[in-house]
Amino acid sequence: MAYQAPVKDYAFLFRDVLKIERYANLPAFAEAQIDTVDQILEEAGRFCDEVLAPLNTVGDKEGCRLNAAGDVTTPTGFKAAYRQLIDAGWPLLSAEAEFGGQALPKVINLAFSEMSSGANMAFAMYPGLTHGAYSAILNGGSPEQKQLYLPKLAAGQWTGTMNLTEPHAGTDLGLLRTKAVKQGDGSYKITGQKIFISAGEHDLAENIIHLVLARAEGAPEGVRGISLFIVPKFIPDAAGDPGARNGVSCVALEEKMGIHGNATCVLAHDEATGWLVGEENRGLALMFVMMNEARIGVAVQGLAQGEAAYQAAAAYARDRLQGRSVSGPKNPDGPADPIIVHPDVRRLLLDARATMEGGRAFLMWTGLQADVGRASDDPAARERGEDFMALLTPVLKGYLTDRGFQACSDALQVHGGAGYTEAFPASQYLRDARIAMIYEGTNGVQALDLVGRKLAQNGGRALRAFLAELEAYSAAHQDSESLKPFVEGLDKVRARLQEATMWLMQNGLANPDEAAAASTDYMHLMGLTGLAYAWAMMAQAAQARIDAGDDDPFYATKLDVGRYFLARVLPESGAHLAKLKAGAATLMALKPEAF
C-alpha cells in the first residue's frame, strides 16, 4: 500500500482534541475556521499522496548529481513537483501576510510538514529549510533585508539554507574558522568551508540564500565572536532579481546512508559577498531561531517516517501469509494465516502506532500553545506559549526521532527478510529516519540542553507550568469513569517525572556527571509524560464522539490504541526512572583505555 497522509487523524486533532475554533477571537486564527482547515488538510493529503509520495523511491534510487561546473541536478520529477508546490502556494501557509503569506497558525503548517515528510522526506527538506531561513531573517534582519528576501523565501521562489558545520567544528560552534572581512560598502567577504549543508545546491529554484555563521575580523574567540551573514548564490540586482554569481560553490556531495534526494553539500565560500544580519558577534542567537524551528521540523521527520513505515508494515502484515495462529487457524480456507494474527507482529505494529499517534497529538498541542501565545495580547499567555515551546522542543526532537527510528526498525522486522531488500520501502524509511537522531543537535545534546538549561530557565517556571497543566487536567476529569485509566496513567507518569526532577536537583547540581548521565532517560520520561497527556485528551474526545452517537469505528479504534499505550508503552517510564536514579558511577567507572 502506498503512503496515505493521516488526514483523518489531523481532522480529529484540530476539530475534537485541540478545538482550534475556540481561538477564533485571536486575529491569527480568524481564517482558521474548521471547515477551512479541513479543506486544507484534504488538499494537502492529496498533493502529498499523488505528487510527492510517488517520487520517494525515485529520489532514493537516483540521488542528486553534481557536474563539473558545480551545479546539482535533483532526481527525476523533483523539479516539476517543486513547481507544483509553489504554484499551489503551500510554502505560504503560515508566512506573514505582509510578505505574501496566508498568515495561518503555524500548527497547520506543521501538519502539512508531517504529510510532506512522510510522503517524501528528502524533497520536503528543501522548503523546510527555506522556512527556517525565512524565520531567522524575519527575527533579525533589517527592514531592507526583509523586503528583499522574505517575499521570495515565503513563496518558495528562492530557497534557504543554514551554514553552520565545518570539518573541525560540529556541535562546538565556538571552533569555527570561516572569516568575514568588512568592506567599504558595508558588505563582507566571507571565506571558509562548510560541510553537511542540506539543500546547499540544486536546480529547483532561481536562487539559494545561505545563512552563514562566520567570525568577523577582531571578533572574540568562542561563541561570543560569531556573526550571521546572508550569502546569496546569485547577488540580487537593483530590481531584486538574481544577478551576478557569488563566490559560493558546491565542491562535493556527501555520500549518505539515506535522504538521497536531498543535496547534502560541501560548500566553499571564496571571498563570497555577504551581508550582516543583526549585529556583529550576535549571530548565534539569531541562528538559534532557525535551529529551534529546524529541531521541531526534525521532530516532525521522526514522526513522519515512523508513521509511513507503520503504514507499510501494517499493509504487509495483512497480506503476508505465514504460519498459523497459535489459537487456531484464522484463514482456514487458505494455506496459512496472515502474519497480522501473530501477537508479536501486533506488538511491533501497535508500539509504533500508539507512539506515533500520541506523538502527533503532543506535537500539535505544543505547537498550538506557541501559536496562541504569539497571537495573544495577554502577557501571561505569551509567556506560557514561549515557555512550553522552549521546554518541549528538545523533548519532541529527541523523543520523536528516537521512537520514530524504532518504529522504522520494527516495521522492517515485520517485513522479515523482504524488509532487508530494496523491493519494499521499509529499508528506505529506516535509512532516511536515522539522520534525524543526529542533525540539528544530536539527541544526546537535546537531552543535555533539557536538563542543563531548559529545566532551570527562569527559575524552573516552564516545568512548573507544564506540571500544573497536567495536574489541572487530572483534577478536572477525576470523576470520569470512561477516562479513569487514562487519568490514572497520566498521574502515575507525572509523579515519576516529578520524582526524577527532584533527584536531578539533589544530585545533578553537586555532580554535573549525574545530570548528564540521567539526561537521556529524563528526556524520554518527559516524552512519555507528554504522550500520556495527549492520549488522555484524545480518549476524552473520542469518547465524546461515541457518546454523541457517532458510530464511525475510527473513535473506538482510537480508544483501543490508547489502552494499548497505557498497558504496554507507558510502563517504560518506570524503567527510565530506575535507570536515571542509578546514577553516573557505573557509566564513568571505566578508564578510556578500557573501552
Side-chain angles (χ1 to χ4, degrees):
M1 183 187 77
Y3 172 78
Q4 296 288 308
V7 172
K8 189 166 186 175
D9 212 45
Y10 269 114
F12 169 65
L13 289 176
F14 285 128
R15 182 186 296 270
D16 298 307
V17 180
L18 301 177
K19 301 182 187 299
I20 196 170
E21 281 198 312
R22 62 181 155 172
Y23 303 107
N25 61 309
L26 298 176
F29 287 80
E31 301 301 321
Q33 294 92 354
I34 197 62
D35 289 344
T36 301
V37 173
D38 284 345
Q39 291 173 6
I40 291 171
L41 294 174
E42 289 288 344
E43 288 302 317
R46 186 175 298 110
F47 175 79
C48 294
D49 294 349
E50 297 177 2
V51 178
L52 299 187
L55 297 175
N56 198 32
T57 301
V58 175
D60 187 53
K61 302 299 184 191
E62 287 189 16
C64 296
R65 300 181 300 282
L66 174 66
N67 66 25
D71 297 319
V72 170
T73 302
T74 53
T76 302
F78 272 44
K79 194 170 184 178
Y82 189 80
R83 172 53 56 187
Q84 291 184 63
L85 177 89
I86 62 174
D87 285 349
W90 290 114
L92 293 167
L93 274 179
S94 61
E96 278 65 21
E98 65 180 299
F99 303 115
Q102 297 178 33
L104 288 166
K106 295 183 186 302
V107 70
I108 297 174
N109 192 58
L110 275 182
F112 178 72
S113 295
E114 191 211 328
M115 294 182 194
S116 56
S117 187
N120 194 325
M121 177 172 162
F123 179 95
M125 291 171 66
Y126 293 101
L129 286 158
T130 300
H131 197 269
Y134 169 94
S135 296
I137 297 173
L138 179 67
N139 278 271
S142 67
E144 294 78 16
Q145 288 171 339
K146 292 178 184 179
Q147 289 302 320
L148 174 59
Y149 293 105
L150 294 188
K152 294 180 174 66
L153 288 171
Q157 182 180 348
W158 294 358
T159 64
T161 74
M162 52 198 298
N163 283 220
L164 287 75
T165 306
E166 299 180 5
H168 57 281
T171 300
D172 189 355
L173 292 171
L175 299 177
L176 68 81
R177 296 175 187 153
T178 299
K179 66 179 182 179
V181 179
K182 193 168 186 179
Q183 306 298 294
D185 62 359
S187 67
Y188 290 74
K189 291 299 183 184
I190 313 295
T191 302
Q193 188 179 85
K194 298 291 184 176
I195 64 170
F196 302 156
I197 309 306
S198 299
E201 172 61 33
H202 56 78
D203 58 357
L204 302 182
E206 64 184 25
N207 206 356
I208 302 172
I209 309 305
H210 303 289
L211 290 186
V212 183
L213 288 183
R215 198 179 300 280
E217 284 187 310
E221 294 298 315
V223 295
R224 289 177 296 176
I226 295 175
S227 301
L228 181 65
F229 299 89
I230 295 173
V231 181
K233 175 182 175 180
F234 295 102
I235 298 173
D237 61 19
D241 298 320
R245 181 71 184 256
N246 206 352
V248 54
S249 59
C250 175
V251 297
L253 288 177
E254 302 290 353
E255 294 289 338
K256 302 172 303 212
M257 176 179 176
I259 53 170
H260 296 151
N262 195 270
T264 306
C265 302
V266 178
L267 292 183
H269 296 268
D270 185 10
E271 293 200 334
T273 301
W275 288 269
L276 180 69
V277 183
E279 303 174 18
E280 279 194 6
N281 307 327
R282 301 291 298 274
L284 200 58
L286 286 174
M287 183 57 83
F288 268 108
V289 171
M290 187 172 184
M291 284 197 69
N292 283 331
E293 183 161 314
R295 285 169 177 168
I296 291 295
V298 175
V300 169
Q301 289 180 334
L303 166 66
Q305 295 307 290
E307 168 68 26
Y310 161 78
Q311 288 187 21
Y316 183 85
R318 288 192 296 267
D319 292 341
R320 171 66 169 165
L321 301 181
Q322 189 76 42
R324 290 295 188 187
S325 168
V326 294
S327 58
K330 301 298 186 288
N331 180 32
D333 296 330
D337 289 332
I339 62 172
I340 194 74
V341 305
H342 302 307
D344 200 58
V345 171
R346 287 174 167 248
R347 174 186 66 83
L348 295 170
L349 292 172
L350 281 167
D351 274 0
R353 179 167 178 171
T355 307
M356 294 305 100
E357 289 187 10
R360 178 180 298 119
F362 184 37
L363 177 65
M364 291 300 114
W365 177 84
T366 305
L368 180 62
Q369 306 312 304
D371 274 335
V372 171
R374 282 188 291 264
S376 178
D377 293 330
D378 180 3
R382 185 173 295 273
E383 178 183 278
R384 168 190 167 91
E386 291 173 352
D387 281 354
F388 282 168
M389 185 57 81
L391 175 70
L392 297 175
T393 290
V395 178
L396 289 164
K397 194 278 185 184
Y399 184 80
L400 289 183
T401 58
D402 276 352
R403 292 307 301 251
F405 180 76
Q406 184 62 52
C408 292
S409 180
D410 287 347
L412 192 149
Q413 186 74 16
V414 170
H415 282 79
Y420 200 65
T421 72
E422 296 302 317
F424 289 86
S427 168
Q428 183 186 349
Y429 291 134
L430 186 76
R431 290 183 285 104
D432 286 354
R434 188 60 184 85
I435 185 58
M437 301 161 71
I438 299 172
Y439 59 14
E440 310 308 342
T442 67
N443 287 358
V445 168
Q446 302 305 312
L448 288 173
D449 179 46
L450 175 64
V451 302
R453 294 180 62 247
K454 298 301 173 58
L455 291 184
Q457 218 166 45
N458 300 310
R461 185 179 70 202
L463 180 62
R464 289 197 305 273
F466 182 59
L467 292 171
E469 170 86 15
L470 307 183
E471 290 182 55
Y473 184 88
S474 292
H477 299 93
Q478 62 181 343
D479 296 328
S480 170
E481 193 60 33
S482 62
L483 283 182
K484 184 177 179 180
F486 292 92
V487 171
E488 289 178 346
L490 177 59
D491 286 345
K492 183 177 289 186
V493 72
R494 173 174 53 82
R496 286 172 173 162
L497 181 62
Q498 289 173 311
E499 184 179 348
T501 306
M502 291 301 298
W503 189 93
L504 280 174
M505 293 173 60
Q506 293 163 3
N507 296 275
L509 293 176
N511 180 0
D513 276 346
E514 295 287 2
S519 60
T520 291
D521 284 298
Y522 188 87
M523 178 182 72
H524 275 257
L525 180 53
M526 187 174 284
L528 282 164
T529 305
L531 263 66
Y533 183 35
W535 269 113
M537 290 188 286
M538 285 194 288
Q540 177 191 354
Q543 189 63 55
R545 278 282 195 171
I546 292 169
D547 292 344
D550 196 325
D551 60 358
D552 187 334
F554 174 90
Y555 303 108
T557 299
K558 186 67 72 174
L559 289 172
D560 285 339
V561 177
R563 295 183 188 107
Y564 179 90
F565 172 82
L566 294 177
R568 300 193 64 105
V569 178
L570 193 57
E572 294 171 8
S573 61
H576 287 302
L577 178 61
K579 289 192 290 182
L580 180 154
K581 293 173 67 176
T586 54
L587 274 175
M588 307 307 294
L590 269 65
K591 291 179 168 47
E593 58 270 21
F595 281 87

